[in-house]
Amino acid sequence: MESMIPVNFLDKAERTFNDLGSNVQVRSNSYSRFYNTEGRLVKKSDIAKVQNAGCITLFTLSDNAINITVHSANRSIVFERAKSIFKEAQVVEIDMQS
C-alpha cells in the first residue's frame, strides 16, 4: 500500500535543515519533518564531517553522530544541501550499491 503523503514532501531539504546563521535546526526523520517539530539545534562549526552512506550522517567534533533518514530518491538532494550548509566539514560518500 502506497503512502498518502508523497516522499518528496517529507524529504525536502528545506524541511530537513533550517539555516539560522551560525546554528542549524536539523529534523532527522520523517516524523519531525511532517509535524514540523523543533528538531535538534547544532552549531555549524561543531560539524566535522558530512557522510552519505545509506543515510546522511553529521559527525560532530566530539564524535557524536546525527543520522538523517531520507528516501533514497531524495538522498542526493538533502546531501547536497548538507554540504552547502556545513562548508567547513569533511565530505564522505560511500557507495552502498556495490
Side-chain angles (χ1 to χ4, degrees):
M1 178 181 224
E2 279 192 46
S3 172
M4 298 289 286
I5 302 166
V7 223
N8 290 339
F9 174 76
L10 294 178
D11 290 346
K12 284 188 176 190
E14 302 82 35
R15 295 185 73 80
T16 305
F17 302 109
N18 184 13
D19 192 342
L20 303 169
S22 61
N23 295 312
V24 177
Q25 180 184 30
V26 179
R27 294 185 186 101
S28 59
N29 58 48
S30 58
Y31 177 87
S32 62
R33 289 187 291 272
F34 180 76
Y35 289 106
N36 210 21
T37 65
E38 291 182 13
R40 184 170 179 180
L41 194 63
V42 296
K43 283 181 146 180
K44 285 183 186 178
S45 59
D46 285 348
I47 302 300
K49 180 168 56 171
V50 177
Q51 178 176 291
N52 183 2
C55 75
I56 298 165
T57 306
L58 306 176
F59 292 93
T60 65
L61 293 171
S62 58
D63 283 335
N64 291 321
I66 302 168
N67 290 319
I68 302 168
T69 55
V70 293
H71 192 275
S72 58
N74 301 316
R75 193 172 301 126
S76 63
I77 295 167
V78 176
F79 183 59
E80 290 302 316
R81 176 78 171 139
K83 291 188 326 186
S84 71
I85 290 174
F86 304 105
K87 293 179 174 109
E88 301 300 317
Q90 175 189 6
V91 175
V92 176
E93 290 187 72
I94 299 173
D95 183 13
M96 300 300 288
Q97 301 299 325
S98 308

